[in-house]
Structures are given as structure tokens and as C-alpha cells.
């Protein structure tokens, strides 16, 4: 056996290049030469019995025959060749990772390429841009769950909410149809046409709003409810209640806008007459009793209750509410949102609240006999209870409770006040016109002879910049039944005294309150007739 020399390696490399027509690079040739040396050394070690892993069977055979070990390449040189090969292979991996097309000698090691001046400047520009505008985030670093506020659909939804708030809308209706989407705004109690969404984003409006309300955007077969709070462009906090409903052509979305600003709430802003306001304030100062606010949906019952709570919200009172859902978040009041799906209904929550040492309890709505019984017992045991019922008049509230199964004697000992209310539209002070109606029409409408000399007004049909069809804003009208001694005596006699009770209610009926607003020039006779004429005929 002979030792491989550098001359042999050179001859071998030359022959290899000739055979492959110089298809190998210098780097590949260097690697081939090293591998050739390692292979030859391994074979020699195997024959001599000192090869370890690569010698194997040849080394064992040599030891078995007792042959002397021949001269071989030093083990240190073999290990050096192996390390050099591994270093070269690692260098290849680094080059392929950094995409650097660079040729190195077999004995050289590959170094990591330093960032160029241009790359540093580009990274510096990105960092400075992010510092200048924190909202501009690198798209690669944007979280998948963060809503994109720069998309066209997000900008349209933001503008829609700001427009609805500016026009004093109470609700936003987004309705899908076969030919497209329709948006309407409920302004002063009546629906008005809203902005038309572009076709390319109309179908995405429901998903955007559901994302804002943290609803399940993948569920389109079942109704969902949610809420969110945001700040408008007018720097006003706004609560929105979201309701989705699957319809024939898609999901209908309704947004209820609730102004969080407490300056818009208060007993003085409701529209109560001076006598009515004095009665309400006196009964709210009592330590116990049941005060019921009645009326159809959209008649302002919620705002009346929250105005009363704002008046009662003091440090020495423990106030708790049970609502479905919580309309407005009020600091200092313990508010509970019922969840019937887990068994947290009005009755269950009320029983728990009675063990919480309450002073004032507000029940969002009395819907069943169990809730009514608990509310009445709470009022009888030293608590002030506020609640609502969906009835058309104050007297109909008594009939409704009796039909539920509440004994008459419980009503007379628990109820302090019943308030029926409506919201009528106010005339725009910028464009209202004088209404010259004949005296006979005014008398038939119920206006007193003494008020015929007052100047009456009507709405401008086209309206102006400040209003919608001549009306701007709404004001409450109220009908009060106070459980005084006379009313209690009439109620205890039963059905035969209904006519007497009805005649007493005429003095505080909704119709009279509406006509009073007409005489004061706040609203028109047409608006009073629209809102109360049917109510008066049913008494």
C-alpha cells in the first residue's frame, strides 16, 4: 500500500475535470478531493484494523490473522480533514439561507453578511414612520383579530354612525333586499331615508358591525345581540345596542343609539308639567313604594327611569338594577344584565338583590306574575322599586296587573305612582308657521275657550336646514295616577266604579297634556292628534 500524495490528488482532480468537461466548480473540486482523502484513509484503517467506524470488518480480519499494522496516515490528520469538510458544508447552508452568491476556497469559512447601508436606512425610515403615526402599523405585524379601520366598509360604518348621531337619530336600520341594501334612520320617532351604501361594500356591513359588537360573524342563521361604546367625531361617548336578524336576503342589522352624556338626562328635561314634576320628586324621596312607567316601545320609558336614578344616585343609597339588556352604564349603580339561557332571569336576580341590602331597585320590565309578585313584596317591605310595563294608559296598567293575578289589596298597598307617557315631536323654532284654524275646530279638538286667543303654530312641510319636515326633537307628555285615598277607595269597589275612575283620569290624561303643549306653541295640533286622539277615544 502506498501513501496518497498531493501530486496524486492533483492528477485525480485533473482527470475528473476532463471526464466531466469542467462541469465542477472550484469549491466542488475541493470538496471532492477532501472526501477522496477521507475515503482512502478509511480503507487503509480498515485493512490495518484501526479504522473504528469506517474500518469495520477489514480491521477485525487483520487482527484475527495476527498481521502487523502497516504504516497509515496519522489519526489527527484524518480528524482534521473531517472537520474541514463539515465546516465547508455549514458554510454552504449559510450562503443558501442569506441568498449570497459568493465563491470561497475550501479552507475558508463563510461569514455572515453585515446589513448594508441601504437596508439600515430603510429600517430607520420604517421605525420613524411608525413613531410619527402609531396607527400606521406594518401589515406583516398587524394582529389577525384587530379590525381594520382603514378599509372602505369600516370608514362607511363610522361615517354612518356619526351622521345618525348628528341628526339625533335613535335607531339605524340596515335592511337587505334582492336588489340591494336600504339604510333608514329613525329621527324623532319616524323613519327617514339614510345614505345609500356602495354595492361593493353593502354585503360586508353586517360583518363589520358584528365584529365591532364582538358577535359571531360565522353565525348567520340565528339572531344575535351585542353592544359597544365608541366616541363620535363630536367627542361624545355613545352606546350602541346591536341586534341582528336573519331575513330572506341576508341579515338585517338594527343599531340603537344611546347618548351616554348625563347632561341630556334629568327630570327637568322630560317635559313634565310643574305639578307632575312635584308629584314625581315627592314620591321618589319616599323610602318605599312601587313607581311604574308605562307606554309602548319607543315612548321614552328608559330615559324616564334613568333620569329618576340620576336623581337618586347618592352615596348613602344602595341602588341596583335588573335589565334586559343594560341600556346605559351609570357609575355608582350596580347593574345586572339578565341571561335567561343560563337561568339568570328577572325573578332569580330580584330574589338575589333582596339579600344585597338594597335601598332602590330598578326592574327593566315586569313580564310575568313571578316578577310582579317579587317587585310588589319588595315595595311592601321597605324598598323603593322602579319598573315598566307595556300598556297604553295608566289605568290599563291596573287592569293588566289584576289580569296577571295580583290581588287588588296588594296593588293598593304597594303602588305609589303610575306614569303613562308618549313622545311627541317639537316644532322647529326656525321655520314653524302660524296656524289659523277656525274656532269650531279648536273647540272640537278639546282646547278651552280661554285658550282660543293664544297663537297656534304648525310645521313647515318642507322643513329647513335645522329640522326634518318642520319638527326638531321630541318631548314627553305624561298621564299620572297617584294612589291617593280617593283613588284607592274607587279601586277597591271593583268594576262598577270604572266609570268614576275614568272620569278622574281625564284631568291628567295624555290628551290634555298634548293639548297643553299645543297651546304653549311647542307642537302642532296635527301632531297632538296623531299621538293621542286614538288614546282618548279608548277611555
Amino acid at each position: 500500500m502506498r501513501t496518497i500524495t498531493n501530486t496524486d490528488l492533483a492528477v485525480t482532480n485533473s482527470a475528473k475535470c476532463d471526464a466531466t468537461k469542467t462541469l465542477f466548480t472550484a469549491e466542488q473540486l475541493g470538496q471532492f478531493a477532501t472526501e477522496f482523502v477521507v475515503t482512502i484513509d478509511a480503507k487503509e484503517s480498515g485493512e490495518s484494523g484501526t479504522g473504528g467506524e469506517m474500518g469495520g470488518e477489514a480491521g477485525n480480519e487483520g487482527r484475527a490473522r495476527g498481521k502487523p499494522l502497516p504504516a497509515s496516515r496519522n489519526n489527527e490528520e484524518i480528524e482534521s480533514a473531517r472537520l474541514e469538510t463539515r465546516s465547508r458544508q455549514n458554510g454552504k447552508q449559510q450562503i443558501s439561507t442569506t441568498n449570497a452568491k459568493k465563491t470561497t476556497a475550501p479552507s475558508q469559512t463563510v461569514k455572515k453578511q453585515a446589513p448594508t447601508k441601504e437596508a439600515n436606512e430603510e429600517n430607520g425610515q420604517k421605525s420613524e414612520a411608525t413613531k410619527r403615526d402609531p396607527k400606521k402599523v406594518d401589515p406583516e405585524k398587524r394582529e389577525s383579530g384587530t379590525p381594520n379601520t382603514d378599509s372602505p366598509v369600516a370608514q362607511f360604518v363610522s361615517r354612518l354612525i356619526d351622521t345618525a348621531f348628528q341628526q339625533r337619530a335613535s335607531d339605524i336600520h340596515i335592511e337587505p333586499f334582492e336588489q340591494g341594501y336600504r339604510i333608514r334612520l329613525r329621527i324623532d320617532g319616524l323613519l327617514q331615508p339614510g345614505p345609500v351604501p356602495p354595492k361593493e361594500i353593502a354585503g360586508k356591513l353586517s360583518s363589520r358591525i358584528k365584529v365591532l359588537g364582538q358577535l359571531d360573524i360565522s353565525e348567520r342563521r340565528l339572531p344575535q345581540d351585542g353592544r359597544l361604546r365608541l366616541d363620535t367625531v363630536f367627542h361624545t361617548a355613545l352606546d350602541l345596542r346591536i341586534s341582528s336578524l336573519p331575513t330572506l336576503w341576508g341579515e338585517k342589522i338594527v343599531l340603537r343609539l344611546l347618548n351616554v352624556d348625563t347632561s341630556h338626562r334629568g327630570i327637568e328635561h322630560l317635559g313634565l308639567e310643574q305639578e307632575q314634576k312635584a308629584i314625581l320628586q315627592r314620591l321618589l324621596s319616599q323610602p318605599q313604594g312601587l313607581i311604574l312607567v308605562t307606554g309602548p316601545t319607543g315612548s321614552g320609558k328608559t330615559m324616564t327611569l334613568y333620569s329618576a336614578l340620576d336623581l337618586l344616585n347618592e352615596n348613602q343609597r344602595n341602588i341596583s338594577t335588573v335589565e334586559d339588556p343594560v341600556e346605559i352604564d351609570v357609575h355608582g349603580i350596580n347593574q345586572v344584565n339578565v341571561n335567561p339561557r343560563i337561568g339568570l332571569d328577572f325573578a332569580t336576580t330580584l330574589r338575589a338583590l333582596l339579600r344585597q341590602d338594597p335601598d332602590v331597585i330598578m326592574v327593566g320590565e315586569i313580564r310575568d306574575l313571578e316578577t310582579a309578585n317579587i317587585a310588589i313584596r319588595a315595595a311592601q317591605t321597605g324598598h323603593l322599586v322602579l319598573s315598566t310595563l307595556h300598556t297604553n294608559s295608566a289605568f290599563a296598567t291596573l287592569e293588566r296587573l289584576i289580569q296577571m293575578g295580583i290581588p287588588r289589596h296588594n296593588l293598593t298597598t304597594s303602588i305609589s305612582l303610575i306614569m303613562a307617557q308618549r313622545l311627541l315631536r317639537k316644532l322647529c323654532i326656525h321655520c314653524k308657521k302660524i296656524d289659523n284654524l277656525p274656532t269650531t275646530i279648536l273647540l272640537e279638538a278639546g282646547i278651552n275657550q280661554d285658550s282660543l286667543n293664544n297663537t297656534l303654530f304648525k310645521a313647515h312641510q318642507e322643513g329647513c336646514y335645522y329640522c326634518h319636515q318642520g319638527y326638531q326633537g321630541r318631548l314627553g307628555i305624561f298621564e299620572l295616577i297617584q294612589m291617593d285615598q280617593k283613588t284607592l277607595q274607587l279601586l277597591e269597589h271593583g268594576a262598577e266604579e270604572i266609570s268614576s275612575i275614568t272620569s278622574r283620569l281625564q284631568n291628567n290624561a295624555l290628551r290634555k297634556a298634548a293639548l297643553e303643549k299645543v297651546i304653549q306653541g311647542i307642537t302642532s295640533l296635527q301632531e297632538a292628534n296623531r299621538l293621542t286622539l286614538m288614546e282618548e277615544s279608548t277611555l
Side-chain angles (χ1 to χ4, degrees):
M1 185 190 69
R2 64 185 182 85
T3 302
I4 301 299
T5 63
N6 293 334
T7 304
D8 296 331
L9 292 176
V11 173
T12 303
N13 291 339
S14 177
K16 191 71 174 180
C17 293
D18 293 340
T20 57
K21 296 183 179 180
T22 66
L23 293 178
F24 295 95
T25 63
E27 182 181 2
Q28 291 172 330
L29 289 177
Q31 180 181 358
F32 174 79
T34 304
E35 292 175 352
F36 184 81
V37 172
V38 174
T39 303
I40 293 300
D41 289 339
K43 287 183 178 181
E44 291 178 352
S45 298
E47 291 177 358
S48 61
T50 61
E53 295 178 357
M54 304 181 69
E57 298 177 357
N60 293 334
E61 292 178 359
R63 286 191 296 271
R65 290 193 295 266
K67 294 182 179 179
L69 295 176
S72 174
R73 180 177 297 273
N74 195 309
N75 289 338
E76 296 179 358
E77 296 180 0
I78 297 175
E79 187 66 19
S80 178
R82 289 178 181 173
L83 294 176
E84 186 177 1
T85 303
R86 291 174 184 170
S87 177
R88 192 176 295 109
Q89 291 176 351
N90 292 335
K92 284 184 180 182
Q93 293 177 356
Q94 293 180 3
I95 293 174
S96 62
T97 304
T98 57
N99 296 326
K101 297 180 180 180
K102 183 177 179 181
T103 304
T104 59
S107 60
Q108 293 177 340
T109 58
V110 178
K111 296 183 180 180
K112 185 176 179 180
Q113 185 177 3
T116 61
K117 181 179 179 181
E118 292 78 4
N120 289 332
E121 292 178 354
E122 182 179 359
N123 293 334
Q125 291 175 359
K126 281 187 177 182
S127 177
E128 291 297 328
T130 305
K131 291 180 180 178
R132 286 194 301 269
D133 191 355
K135 295 182 179 180
K136 293 183 179 180
V137 184
D138 191 351
E140 297 178 357
K141 297 181 180 180
R142 184 184 298 274
E143 298 180 3
S144 58
T146 303
N148 184 7
T149 58
D150 298 331
S151 64
V153 63
Q155 294 178 359
F156 181 85
V157 171
S158 298
R159 288 195 301 268
L160 175 62
I161 295 174
D162 291 335
T163 301
F165 177 79
Q166 184 181 16
Q167 297 183 6
R168 307 178 312 280
S170 60
D171 300 271
I172 303 174
H173 292 248
I174 303 176
E175 303 164 307
F177 295 100
E178 183 179 7
Q179 304 299 330
Y181 277 71
R182 179 179 67 180
I183 295 179
R184 294 185 293 175
L185 308 178
R186 186 174 294 278
I187 303 174
D188 296 336
L190 300 178
L191 286 173
Q192 308 287 348
V196 179
K199 293 183 179 180
E200 57 270 15
I201 67 171
K204 303 177 182 178
L205 293 177
S206 61
S207 297
R208 171 62 185 177
I209 294 173
K210 290 168 72 174
V211 167
L212 291 176
Q214 297 182 353
L215 303 180
D216 185 3
I217 61 174
S218 64
E219 180 56 71
R220 298 178 178 271
R221 301 168 298 173
L222 296 174
Q224 297 187 68
D225 295 316
R227 65 182 301 138
L228 72 147
R229 172 174 289 190
L230 50 80
D231 294 329
T232 64
V233 294
F234 307 100
H235 307 288
T236 303
L238 189 65
D239 273 347
L240 287 92
R241 263 175 47 193
I242 303 174
S243 174
S244 69
L245 178 69
T247 63
L248 183 62
W249 301 106
E251 283 187 295
K252 178 184 177 181
I253 303 293
V254 175
L255 302 176
R256 169 68 60 89
L257 280 67
L258 300 168
N259 193 348
V260 183
D261 189 3
T262 57
S263 63
H264 295 276
R265 299 198 304 265
I267 300 296
E268 63 277 3
H269 298 300
L270 296 178
L272 291 163
E273 300 295 336
Q274 291 298 327
E275 182 182 357
Q276 295 175 337
K277 185 189 303 182
I279 294 174
L280 178 59
Q281 291 177 338
R282 177 173 57 84
L283 294 176
L284 285 175
S285 63
Q286 299 297 319
Q288 67 182 39
L290 176 60
I291 298 177
L292 294 175
V293 182
T294 69
T297 302
S299 59
K301 300 186 300 297
T302 299
M303 193 57 64
T304 299
L305 287 179
Y306 276 99
S307 298
L309 291 178
D310 287 339
L311 183 64
L312 297 170
N313 191 8
E314 298 177 352
N315 289 331
Q316 61 267 26
R317 289 192 179 98
N318 178 21
I319 305 177
S320 300
T321 70
V322 189
E323 304 174 68
D324 183 22
V326 173
E327 299 278 1
I328 302 175
D329 183 15
V330 181
H331 178 72
I333 297 180
N334 306 293
Q335 298 173 274
V336 180
N337 196 4
V338 302
N339 189 354
R341 290 180 296 180
I342 61 174
L344 187 66
D345 53 12
F346 280 102
T348 303
T349 309
L350 271 177
R351 283 192 292 267
L353 285 181
L354 290 176
R355 297 189 292 269
Q356 294 280 317
D357 185 30
D359 295 308
V360 180
I361 299 175
M362 192 271 275
V363 183
E365 181 184 356
I366 295 178
R367 299 178 179 178
D368 50 42
L369 178 60
E370 185 178 12
T371 304
N373 281 325
I374 298 175
I376 288 174
R377 284 199 299 269
Q380 292 173 339
T381 55
H383 305 90
L384 180 61
V385 181
L386 312 178
S387 188
T388 67
L389 271 176
H390 284 86
T391 56
N392 291 329
S393 65
F395 179 70
T397 303
L398 296 173
E399 292 183 332
R400 172 76 180 278
L401 293 173
I402 292 173
Q403 292 174 357
M404 279 186 178
I406 304 297
R408 291 178 184 270
H409 64 273
N410 281 344
L411 296 179
T412 58
T413 58
S414 60
I415 296 179
S416 301
L417 180 68
I418 300 178
M419 299 174 56
Q421 71 175 76
R422 300 291 186 276
L423 291 177
L424 55 76
R425 294 180 294 172
K426 297 188 300 181
L427 289 170
C428 176
I429 61 176
H430 301 282
C431 64
K432 64 181 181 180
K433 302 189 300 183
I434 297 177
D435 192 5
N436 296 314
L437 292 174
T439 303
T440 56
I441 295 179
L442 296 178
L443 292 175
E444 290 177 358
I447 296 179
N448 296 331
Q449 185 75 29
D450 299 336
S451 303
L452 293 178
N453 295 329
N454 292 42
T455 302
L456 305 184
F457 296 90
K458 64 180 180 180
H460 194 285
Q461 293 297 327
E462 298 180 357
C464 65
Y465 173 79
Y466 300 96
C467 66
H468 293 273
Q469 300 176 356
Y471 294 95
Q472 182 185 20
R474 291 189 293 176
L475 194 66
I477 56 174
F478 298 86
E479 171 190 351
L480 272 63
I481 293 183
Q482 183 181 359
M483 286 298 178
D484 55 13
Q485 190 65 29
K486 183 63 176 178
T487 305
L488 293 176
Q489 291 177 359
L490 292 174
L491 186 61
E492 288 174 355
H493 284 81
E496 63 273 9
E497 299 293 340
I498 291 180
S499 59
S500 299
I501 298 176
T502 302
S503 63
R504 279 177 56 83
L505 295 180
Q506 297 293 335
N507 295 328
N508 293 308
L510 292 171
R511 177 68 176 174
K512 180 182 177 182
L515 292 178
E516 189 66 27
K517 296 295 188 289
V518 173
I519 296 172
Q520 296 173 4
I522 296 175
T523 189
S524 64
L525 183 60
Q526 292 80 6
E527 176 67 8
N529 291 337
R530 181 188 71 86
L531 202 62
T532 64
L533 193 58
M534 185 176 297
E535 303 291 342
E536 182 71 15
S537 63
T538 59
L539 288 175

